[in-house]
Amino acid sequence: MPELPEVETLVRRLTPIAGTRIAGAEILDDRLTVTAEQLVGASIRTVRRRGKYIVIGLDGRGDLIVHLRMSGRLRLDRSADEIPYTRMILRLDSGDCVYFVNPRRLGTVSLCPHGFDRELGIEPIGPNFSVDVLAEFAAGSRTPIKQLLLDQRKIAGIGNIYAAEALWRAGVDPRRPANSLRADEIAALHAGITSVLYDAIEQLGTTIGGSVSDYRRSAGEGGSFQNRLSVYGRDSEPCERCGTSIERVMQAGRSTCYCPACQT
Ligand SMILES: [Zn+2]
């Protein structure tokens, strides 16, 4: 699932659509809760990211909100070549088209007339995410720290990949109750979260295998942070810090890779 760095990368690619007008729209999947009539004629004011959501601000009509979930993506393209699994096309007056491609139909598109209304926590790469804020979240919770990092109502945008990587960078065992972390561990985790997110954005995100991703790579859409992952998907490989074999555990139905020696 695309997490903050992948969505941030996509939003940056979409910035040219701000200032254009939607001249035509095709909704090709009846699961999408938006109609062409709601979109055609609207001017696009802004494109931004909030957590893992893409928020397209429409002049006078609210926010068009796209959540990619497992395999969805948005592609900005001038060509009218058929793209498989396209579920929505926005034809812009600039001549570009925005394609919402959604093979597994899990991604969502909806219009919020009164603006973005999802209940989301703090942005981890914004100025408000401080060591103190993280300490406050952790102090109030006995939840395993990995699960706390995945709670979108607390911190928005971190998923399974970057939670595991941040905990490895911090040297913290993902199963530790959040309120058991010492001040120095909270500071290390804060540094782990921000550094891994900025590093991944610099690499244009992580591209995980499979045929869809191969297509994305050929379309120049894939990032390369998968080559820099230290623990995610690397179980039974040696830890690059201490050489111990990386292990995988299940936590709340999600797998977590970690080093049993240097994450304590
Ligand atoms: Zn290690």
Side-chain angles (χ1 to χ4, degrees):
M1 176 192 259
E3 301 180 26
L4 187 155
E6 293 76 39
V7 178
E8 178 69 24
T9 300
L10 181 56
V11 163
R12 290 180 185 184
R13 285 204 181 108
L14 288 173
T15 50
I17 74 172
T20 68
R21 200 176 61 87
I22 300 173
E26 290 171 49
I27 309 297
L28 305 167
D29 183 349
D30 55 19
R31 285 194 206 176
L32 302 182
T33 61
V34 65
T35 65
E37 294 71 42
Q38 287 175 311
L39 302 176
V40 174
S43 294
I44 296 174
R45 223 168 1 95
T46 52
V47 186
R48 65 187 177 94
R49 181 192 56 75
R50 179 76 176 94
K52 301 177 196 172
Y53 293 87
I54 297 146
V55 185
I56 301 174
L58 301 178
D59 212 9
R61 302 199 197 183
D63 287 332
L64 184 66
I65 297 170
V66 181
H67 196 196
L68 301 171
R69 297 199 190 276
M70 293 307 284
S71 58
R73 63 201 170 85
L74 283 178
R75 182 163 165 197
L76 182 62
D77 209 320
R78 194 158 273 259
S79 87
D81 288 350
E82 205 171 295
I83 302 173
Y85 309 113
T86 296
R87 313 294 186 194
M88 179 180 77
I89 305 172
L90 303 180
R91 298 186 189 285
L92 309 177
D93 64 358
S94 61
D96 283 331
C97 292
V98 177
Y99 297 86
F100 176 56
V101 182
N102 195 16
R104 292 164 67 179
R105 300 178 74 193
L106 296 169
T108 60
V109 178
S110 55
L111 185 69
C112 285
H114 304 294
F116 187 79
D117 61 356
R118 305 296 196 278
E119 232 178 85
L120 284 184
I122 201 161
E123 283 289 333
I125 60 169
N128 298 327
F129 182 61
S130 62
V131 174
D132 288 346
V133 164
L134 182 61
E136 199 176 306
F137 289 153
S141 174
R142 298 164 62 104
T143 311
I145 185 64
K146 155 89 181 310
Q147 277 151 257
L148 186 82
L149 297 184
L150 297 183
D151 185 347
Q152 302 299 302
R153 294 162 303 175
K154 294 218 161 51
I155 306 173
I158 300 176
N160 219 32
I161 297 176
Y162 298 105
E165 293 298 311
L167 286 160
W168 181 84
R169 289 187 179 204
V172 171
D173 187 320
R175 299 164 299 180
R176 290 266 302 279
N179 62 4
S180 76
L181 268 66
R182 300 183 310 264
D184 61 312
E185 292 172 324
I186 292 286
L189 183 55
H190 179 271
I193 292 167
T194 51
S195 70
V196 79
L197 293 175
Y198 280 117
D199 287 352
I201 289 170
E202 205 176 286
Q203 300 293 315
L204 308 178
T206 297
T207 309
I208 299 295
S211 55
V212 175
S213 297
D214 289 342
Y215 175 79
R216 288 177 59 166
R217 219 167 280 138
S218 69
E221 293 178 14
S224 60
F225 195 70
Q226 64 277 9
N227 304 321
R228 310 279 181 94
L229 295 172
S230 298
V231 279
Y232 181 87
R234 294 196 52 205
D235 45 312
S236 68
E237 290 177 34
C239 170
E240 62 191 64
R241 192 162 49 205
C242 75
T244 306
S245 190
I246 300 293
E247 287 183 6
R248 180 193 293 263
V249 286
M250 291 304 287
Q251 291 184 283
R254 312 285 307 273
S255 71
T256 308
C257 292
Y258 76 110
C259 174
C262 66
Q263 287 181 255
T264 60

